[in-house]
Amino acid sequence: MKKSIAISSAVLGVAAAVVILSSQTTIFGDLFNRLDNKAPASVGSSQQNQDSSTSTKATDSKGNDTAGQTDDKEVAAASATMTSSQAAFQAFMHENSPALTVTKNAGGKDIVTNMNSPLVLVNKKRELASTYSPNDLVVAKVTFSFSGTSPKQQLRAIAAQALEKLFAGAKKEDIELAAVSGYRSYVAQKSIFDNYARENGEDEANTFSAHPGQSEHQTGLAMDVSSASVNYNLDESFGESKEGKWLAEHAADYGFIIRYEKGKEGLTGYMYEPWHIRYVGVVVAGQVKKDNETLEQFLAKF
Ligand SMILES: [Zn+2]
């Protein structure tokens, strides 16, 4: 009996943590990380809790073996946890719904208010404030297409960690990916867009480059990825390469989506970009991929 109480406490502890995390979007990344490690198959599923309830050799919160048998108490505790997890997930998704996460600035532009969330939606209609930069940027420890150091090697910590796992997973299958460009500040994006606009005109530039504030790269959650096989180019040829095909197939397993899909230009506002991946966590990434939706479509459902 003592053992099952220990297990139940551990399970309930997880439930409590989930509920607490759900109300603190800035640290909700921890849940995303934990979910990433467990890689649940679908929204609302909770593999971790199922493990605790059905395993004959569970571990307690300190990682010690507690060798409990499944009993009614554990099942009840686990199902309570799953209900809490699902409720927390729904609540978190609702907190991040596009309609609730935008405010008009003095210039009449729609500015996102959940800029620190891994589910922030940035596009041509929803901008990041010019003053926003993430406070947890780190250099991703992956292969880059260039040598030396650059701010664009950075991602937010949660996305960098996921990217490192993605690249390691690719390498195991003899797929050599190269990161090309990650975080980009508002000022850097302004400089890039202004240059394109000078060369191509603003309307043309806007089909392949983003106005400052409208680039996902400012979130620190997006990375452009290519490969030596296409000379590290960021164009549709990457999508046809074996590396690009691997990325499209497996990015979601690590919490990333191909953000600008073929045939979705009208919904995302951008041409097909097989190289641009965006971190959203494995739960959302898996659903977006399975349902063949854009992030805009998926988030609007909550
Ligand atoms: Zn990009």
Side-chain angles (χ1 to χ4, degrees):
M1 182 53 74
K2 198 177 174 188
K3 282 172 186 166
S4 54
I5 289 171
I7 292 168
S8 299
S9 302
V11 170
L12 289 171
V14 171
V18 168
V19 172
I20 291 165
L21 282 166
S22 74
S23 62
Q24 300 181 26
T25 51
T26 51
I27 58 167
F28 205 90
D30 291 349
L31 175 60
F32 272 62
N33 257 339
R34 195 158 51 73
L35 290 170
D36 280 0
N37 291 334
K38 289 290 176 185
S42 63
V43 169
S45 78
S46 184
Q47 192 64 44
Q48 180 161 353
N49 303 330
Q50 288 166 4
D51 287 350
S52 297
S53 66
T54 57
S55 171
T56 54
K57 193 180 182 190
T59 55
D60 67 16
S61 58
K62 293 190 176 75
N64 300 316
D65 284 350
T66 51
Q69 295 290 324
T70 299
D71 66 15
D72 291 348
K73 252 187 189 167
E74 290 168 29
V75 171
S79 73
T81 304
M82 287 179 68
T83 305
S84 297
S85 295
Q86 284 169 354
F89 181 80
Q90 290 288 334
F92 181 62
M93 294 306 298
H94 184 63
E95 277 175 31
N96 283 283
S97 80
L100 299 179
T101 52
V102 74
T103 186
K104 286 226 187 292
N105 72 2
K109 286 181 172 167
D110 284 332
I111 305 295
V112 296
T113 55
N114 61 338
M115 53 279 184
N116 284 311
S117 168
L119 296 183
V120 62
L121 181 65
V122 173
N123 58 32
K124 289 178 179 176
K125 296 173 185 160
R126 303 165 53 89
E127 303 190 6
L128 287 160
S130 61
T131 51
Y132 176 72
S133 64
N135 62 11
D136 60 352
L137 292 169
V138 296
V139 171
K141 298 189 203 78
V142 297
T143 302
F144 282 88
S145 61
F146 54 91
S147 53
T149 59
S150 164
K152 63 188 181 184
Q153 291 172 315
Q154 300 173 102
L155 286 177
R156 291 188 61 190
I158 191 171
Q161 194 179 64
L163 190 77
E164 288 158 11
K165 288 180 187 168
L166 170 72
F167 273 48
K171 197 158 204 163
K172 267 189 197 158
E173 296 182 34
D174 290 327
I175 298 291
E176 295 283 345
L177 300 173
V180 178
S181 189
Y183 171 67
R184 204 176 298 149
S185 70
Y186 183 95
V187 170
Q189 185 67 34
K190 183 171 183 347
S191 167
I192 289 171
F193 186 85
D194 288 351
N195 279 332
Y196 282 134
R198 257 194 303 277
E199 288 172 22
N200 305 283
E202 190 172 327
D203 288 348
E204 174 70 12
N206 201 25
T207 65
F208 60 84
S209 182
H211 278 285
Q214 298 178 0
S215 171
E216 274 205 330
H217 288 277
Q218 192 186 339
T219 67
L221 297 168
M223 180 62 82
D224 294 332
V225 175
S226 189
S227 61
S229 67
V230 295
N231 296 318
Y232 306 114
N233 285 333
L234 301 180
D235 59 28
E236 290 201 19
S237 68
F238 176 65
E240 296 302 315
S241 69
K242 70 172 181 177
E243 294 85 359
K245 285 176 178 164
W246 187 93
L247 186 65
E249 185 60 33
H250 296 283
D253 299 340
Y254 299 89
F256 290 91
I257 56 171
I258 308 292
R259 179 70 172 86
Y260 308 115
E261 281 282 15
K262 198 179 269 182
K264 305 281 187 182
E265 292 83 353
L267 293 162
T268 65
Y270 286 97
M271 301 181 309
Y272 172 48
E273 293 193 0
W275 62 86
H276 178 110
I277 58 172
R278 156 70 195 269
Y279 180 79
V280 290
V282 292
V283 177
V284 172
Q287 286 291 303
V288 168
K289 179 168 185 277
K290 184 166 86 58
D291 297 341
N292 190 26
E293 288 183 324
T294 62
L295 190 58
E296 281 81 2
Q297 290 172 304
F298 184 75
L299 293 176
K301 295 195 289 195
F302 298 88

